[in-house]
Amino acid sequence: MYELSLTLSLQMTTNSLSDTFGRAHNYLRISLTDACNLRCLYCMPDEKVISTPAPKLMQADEIEGIARVFQSLGVNKIRLTGGEPLVRKDAADIMKRLSNLPVELTISTNAVLVDRFIDCFKQSGIKSVNVSLDTLNAEEFFAITRRGDFKRIMENIDLLLAHQFKVKVNMVVMKGINENSVIDFVKWTRDNPLDIRFIEFMPFAGNAWERDKVFSYAEMLELISRDFEIVKLEDSHHDTAKKYQVSGYSGTFAFITTITEPFCGTCNRLRLTADGKMKNCLFSSTETDLLKPWRAGEDIIPLILSSVKDKKQERGGRFDFENIENRSMIRIGG
Ligand code: SAM
Ligand code: SF4
């Protein structure tokens, strides 16, 4: 009996995508595009950014084929991201193709176009949608995203809830820009079954990150605790978020503490950029091109395994955030 349970637990903690630190990777985030219909200043810093031409992006059949290879190696969860995944013309086709794989399929979106995809989400088996929203104030929203779709996004969040999707709302908290909205988001969870995630502002190419602009987990917790009686909820093993709830409220809130309390020890994530480069960490300085060998008909499994084995213990091996060299977030896929 003991031997059986030991074997089972070992099977659950290792797979073909285990790295040298014993972390098994079962979660793949696939970016569909580096184009977007918003211009969030922490993500797409350059207003006139030129997105990658379509032929250089993975095509729908290539995404499906490469995703199948990852699935055969142990991936059982795929998140579609971007850029804004829903601006891609064949987004619905890609979702339907991936829905044939035995994986949990999810998506991160800014929700501008969500009303056009409700049926597609359902047909593709998507049950949970992550929405980016950094303020509940229309003017502040315009200042952050440099676009004016606030009302439509709010309506689309209601629509998702009305259709019984699980909705997580991601807010990037930046000191001096939107930290006061944290309280509005906590109030929003009173009558709505939303999971809000407050994300510490992270550095990426060109986003003018400074340590002083990070509104830390400790500061957020202190701010919220002044006004609300909160309880700590249990976090699951691979959770990147530290979960809380105001006593008696419908929704929850959580903190993603990449800067002040990194959670790399339980990381189970791998990334694929829209142009087919594998990144073993959000902050990795190296990438592995999978698309070119895939198009040449080569076996990409050795490349994937080698990238996993090269994964560094923490934050891509980089601790000097002030001088970070990386793609901008929009070109990685958050
Ligand atoms: N367009 C979709 C969206 O906005 O949800 C998907 C792509 S977006 C790059 C994915 C996530 O990355 C979003 O939740 C966004 O808030 C987060 N993100 C982007 N830049 C960030 C930064 N500098 N620090 C922390 N999170 C960031
Ligand atoms: Fe677009 Fe999402 Fe980046 Fe905002 S965070 S610019 S919505 S990709």
Side-chain angles (χ1 to χ4, degrees):
M1 186 65 185
Y2 171 76
E3 265 178 37
L4 177 67
S5 64
L6 184 67
T7 315
L8 278 176
S9 90
L10 281 175
Q11 278 171 351
M12 286 164 70
T13 51
T14 59
N15 67 9
S16 306
L17 298 173
S18 292
D19 68 7
T20 53
F21 303 97
R23 294 172 296 198
H25 295 82
N26 65 328
Y27 181 7
L28 178 67
R29 300 169 77 104
I30 304 179
S31 173
L32 298 191
T33 176
D34 55 8
C36 190
N37 43 6
L38 298 183
R39 294 285 182 277
C40 303
L41 42 88
Y42 51 79
C43 175
M44 200 204 247
D46 182 358
E47 261 281 7
K48 295 189 187 73
V49 72
I50 297 166
S51 44
T52 306
K56 291 202 168 163
L57 299 178
M58 293 182 291
Q59 305 302 299
D61 60 326
E62 293 167 337
I63 292 172
E64 183 186 356
I66 294 173
R68 270 187 199 283
V69 174
F70 276 94
Q71 186 272 320
S72 75
L73 295 171
V75 162
N76 59 14
K77 178 172 177 180
I78 291 180
R79 174 174 301 284
L80 301 179
T81 179
E84 173 48 39
L86 300 183
V87 300
R88 208 174 138 146
K89 288 198 171 54
D90 55 357
D93 177 34
I94 293 168
M95 281 181 249
K96 282 183 193 136
R97 284 168 180 269
L98 294 179
S99 71
N100 296 322
L101 270 61
V103 298
E104 177 191 343
L105 187 62
T106 59
I107 189 162
S108 290
T109 170
N110 59 30
V112 172
L113 300 173
V114 150
D115 46 302
R116 296 186 198 162
F117 284 88
I118 295 289
D119 288 343
C120 167
F121 289 168
K122 286 185 183 172
Q123 284 154 16
S124 308
I126 290 177
K127 299 200 165 44
S128 166
V129 179
N130 283 13
V131 174
S132 274
L133 182 65
D134 307 301
T135 175
L136 294 179
N137 173 298
E139 275 172 39
E140 199 170 82
F141 176 85
F142 186 74
I144 294 171
T145 65
R146 294 170 277 184
R147 293 292 182 272
D149 293 308
F150 179 72
K151 190 167 166 282
R152 187 165 173 195
I153 290 170
M154 296 303 285
E155 286 168 1
N156 279 344
I157 291 173
D158 286 341
L159 192 64
L160 285 168
L161 290 176
H163 283 270
Q164 313 296 324
F165 288 96
K166 187 162 178 48
V167 181
K168 291 183 183 166
V169 177
N170 289 339
M171 174 200 187
V172 179
V173 190
M174 294 162 288
K175 210 178 255 182
I177 296 181
N178 63 346
E179 81 261 37
N180 292 328
S181 294
V182 165
I183 295 296
D184 297 339
F185 278 89
V186 175
K187 286 183 184 159
W188 200 21
T189 64
R190 195 183 75 175
D191 301 318
N192 296 286
L194 295 162
D195 296 324
I196 310 290
R197 284 137 42 111
F198 299 119
I199 307 178
E200 289 180 343
F201 179 32
M202 297 182 233
F204 296 100
N207 76 352
W209 183 88
E210 288 167 26
R211 202 162 277 275
D212 287 350
K213 290 186 193 159
V214 177
F215 196 56
S216 70
Y217 167 40
E219 289 171 305
M220 291 187 245
L221 204 53
E222 202 269 324
L223 177 73
I224 296 168
S225 304
R226 271 189 238 153
D227 289 356
F228 302 94
E229 191 186 308
I230 61 174
V231 283
K232 178 78 191 74
L233 304 177
E234 201 178 325
D235 302 316
S236 52
H237 183 60
H238 290 299
D239 247 331
T240 51
K242 298 170 175 63
K243 280 189 234 143
Y244 291 80
Q245 187 169 38
V246 178
S247 307
Y249 278 23
S250 304
T252 66
F253 61 93
F255 302 94
I256 299 189
T257 60
T258 316
I259 305 296
T260 62
E261 286 188 26
F263 33 79
C264 306
T266 57
C267 182
N268 61 345
R269 293 163 174 71
L270 298 171
R271 291 183 150 77
L272 198 52
T273 65
D275 57 352
K277 310 282 193 305
M278 175 176 171
K279 274 178 89 77
N280 58 19
C281 168
L282 188 53
F283 295 108
S284 66
S285 54
T286 55
E287 301 174 347
T288 302
D289 191 351
L290 298 184
L291 183 56
K292 201 165 165 225
W294 180 265
R295 286 183 176 173
E298 292 164 20
D299 181 7
I300 60 169
I301 290 180
L303 297 170
I304 295 173
L305 299 183
S306 158
S307 169
V308 170
K309 292 287 176 251
D310 285 346
K311 179 157 169 158
K312 301 282 191 294
Q313 188 166 17
E314 216 171 78
R315 293 192 294 208
R318 300 207 251 174
F319 302 98
D320 178 10
F321 274 151
E322 272 71 14
N323 297 306
I324 202 150
E325 279 171 36
N326 203 346
R327 293 176 176 229
S328 56
M329 180 59 126
I330 190 121
R331 293 193 53 243
I332 299 173

